[in-house]
Structures are given as C-alpha cells and as structure tokens.
Amino acid sequence: MTTDPSAVDRYIVDRLLSLNERQQATLDANHAARLPAIDVSAPQGKFLNLLASAIGARRILEIGALGGYSTIWLARALPEGGRVVTIEFEPRHAEVARANIAREALADKVELRVGAALDILPQLEAEGGAPFDLSFIDADKANNAAYFNWALKLSRPGALIVVDNVVREGAVADPAARDDGGLGARRLFDAVAAEPRVAATAIQTVGSKGWDGFLIARVTQ
Ligand code: DHB
Ligand code: MG
C-alpha cells in the first residue's frame, strides 16, 4: 500500500478528471513564469467547481488569483452570463492569469482586478454590484479574517464562503502559533466563531499539497 498522499492525488486525477479539466497548459505556463507552485491541487479545483455548480453560482468572488488555475476551475462552473470577479495583488501574476484565462476562452466570464484586496473590496461594495453566491479566499494568510468579513458583506443569504489553507500542518490548533499562516488561520476561526450570520465547519485535507484544510461557511442571513 502506498503511504504517499501525492500518489493518491495522482490516482484521483487519473481516474476522475478528464484531460481537459486538468489544465496542464495553465500549470506549464505558471511554471515557465516561475510563479510559486501553490495553486490548489486538481482534485481541490474540481471540488470548488462542483460546489459552485451544486449551488448554481452565477457570481463568484475570488481573493488571490495567482496564475488563474483555481479561477479557471470556478469559471468553468458558471452558466452563460455568469462571472468570477478575481483579485490579484501581483501584476506579474495577474498577467500570467490573464493569458491562461484567455487560452481557456473564459475571458468573458472573468473580471480580473489587480491590486490589494483590502483596497479593491471596498470599491466592489461602492460599485453596488449584485451579491456573490460563492467566495473563495486564497491570498495572503495574515488577512484571512478581514477577507472573510468582506466576503460576508458582499454575499447573498445562502452563499458559501470557502477559505484555503486553514490548517497549515496543524498550526491552527497551536495557541503558540506565530507565523502568518497559523496566526491568520486562528484569527479567521475567531472571526467565524463570533459571527452569528454563518454556519461553518473546516475539513482537513491531505494530498499533493501536504496537510492543510478548507474552511467552509454558509451565510444564513
Ligand atoms: C501557500 C499559499 C497557499 O495559498 C497555498 O495553498 C499553499 C501555500 C504559501 O504561501 O506558502
Ligand atoms: Mg492556497
């Protein structure tokens, strides 16, 4: 029996994900551009895609596009006329994301905004667009609680908010955690625990990205 979670991820991809779904061209482009290889895994990308289609999401907010790998998974779940608004801090990452999204013929479904999310989120509020059905937060971990509060503010009742990297090899459960990941995750959990307008859980994950997890919250009012 294998004891390698990456081998299991490869098996999952091999059995359950079509060649087209795997987005190899996007992964290759990200690698060539030397983007950090911290995209969601392919099985996780498909999980996000299935969540979005299960709730019939038409408007999706993503905080942290990187090279657009998760953006593409989310955009592929949208019906005609649906939209992902995705925010990326690094102009160089955004440029790679834009090219990947265009190659997948999804440019008309993705609105990519470049800058600090904490600057752009208030702009989205001021613009008064329709609320989001699903938010995916996967950016700098220190700001996760603030991103969660913004996603909540911009969500409709019944919407889902998903946050990546909330376990960080167990650091979330360590009261002495001092790194951005562990502290950011603990502050996020504090914010969610104190928020009566959501029902939430977190699911630990293991695979090609090591031991981590997703927080999933449903906006109840
Ligand atoms: C890191 C960031 C991520 O979003 C992730 O999924 C894995 C690692 C990081 O900054 O190390
Ligand atoms: Mg992540």
Side-chain angles (χ1 to χ4, degrees):
M1 194 183 87
T2 182
T3 55
D4 177 5
S6 292
V8 177
D9 261 0
R10 287 193 294 274
Y11 176 80
I12 293 168
V13 170
D14 182 52
R15 304 308 290 171
L16 302 180
L17 274 61
S18 72
L19 274 180
N20 174 53
E21 283 179 319
R22 296 176 201 179
Q23 289 187 54
Q24 196 54 49
T26 287
L27 294 176
D28 290 347
N30 293 354
H31 183 73
R34 296 172 192 257
L35 266 52
I38 54 173
D39 320 87
V40 297
S41 69
Q44 290 171 345
K46 184 138 182 196
F47 171 71
L48 296 172
N49 174 279
L50 292 172
L51 271 188
S53 50
I55 65 167
R58 298 186 61 85
R59 280 186 53 84
I60 297 175
L61 171 67
E62 181 181 59
I63 303 177
L66 190 62
Y69 182 77
S70 51
T71 317
I72 291 168
W73 275 109
L74 290 165
R76 285 174 169 177
L78 289 172
E80 200 60 39
R83 177 154 282 220
V84 180
V85 177
T86 187
I87 302 172
E88 175 52 43
F89 179 71
E90 279 288 337
R92 199 173 63 82
H93 297 174
E95 199 179 307
V96 176
R98 210 178 288 286
N100 287 329
I101 291 159
R103 188 185 334 92
E104 297 292 334
L106 291 167
D108 60 333
K109 286 187 166 156
V110 178
E111 183 180 324
L112 176 58
R113 303 223 183 177
V114 184
L118 292 178
D119 294 333
I120 291 171
L121 291 161
Q123 291 168 14
L124 292 177
E125 183 189 32
E127 289 167 19
F132 293 103
D133 306 304
L134 173 70
S135 296
F136 179 52
I137 299 171
D138 190 14
D140 55 307
K141 309 312 170 193
N143 282 320
N144 266 343
Y147 295 154
F148 173 81
N149 285 324
W150 269 108
L152 178 58
K153 193 180 279 200
L154 299 175
S155 289
R156 68 161 168 85
L160 293 181
I161 301 171
V162 181
V163 189
D164 194 24
N165 310 115
V166 302
V167 172
R168 304 296 289 227
E169 299 188 323
V172 67
D174 177 5
R178 288 291 167 264
D179 63 303
D180 278 356
L183 260 187
R186 290 178 67 82
R187 290 197 182 120
L188 169 70
F189 274 67
D190 288 346
V192 175
E195 178 49 69
R197 291 170 296 170
V198 300
T201 190
I203 293 293
Q204 300 187 67
T205 56
V206 67
S208 59
K209 297 196 64 186
W211 175 26
D212 217 323
F214 286 120
L215 183 138
I216 302 180
R218 179 172 187 270
V219 181
T220 51
Q221 47 177 290

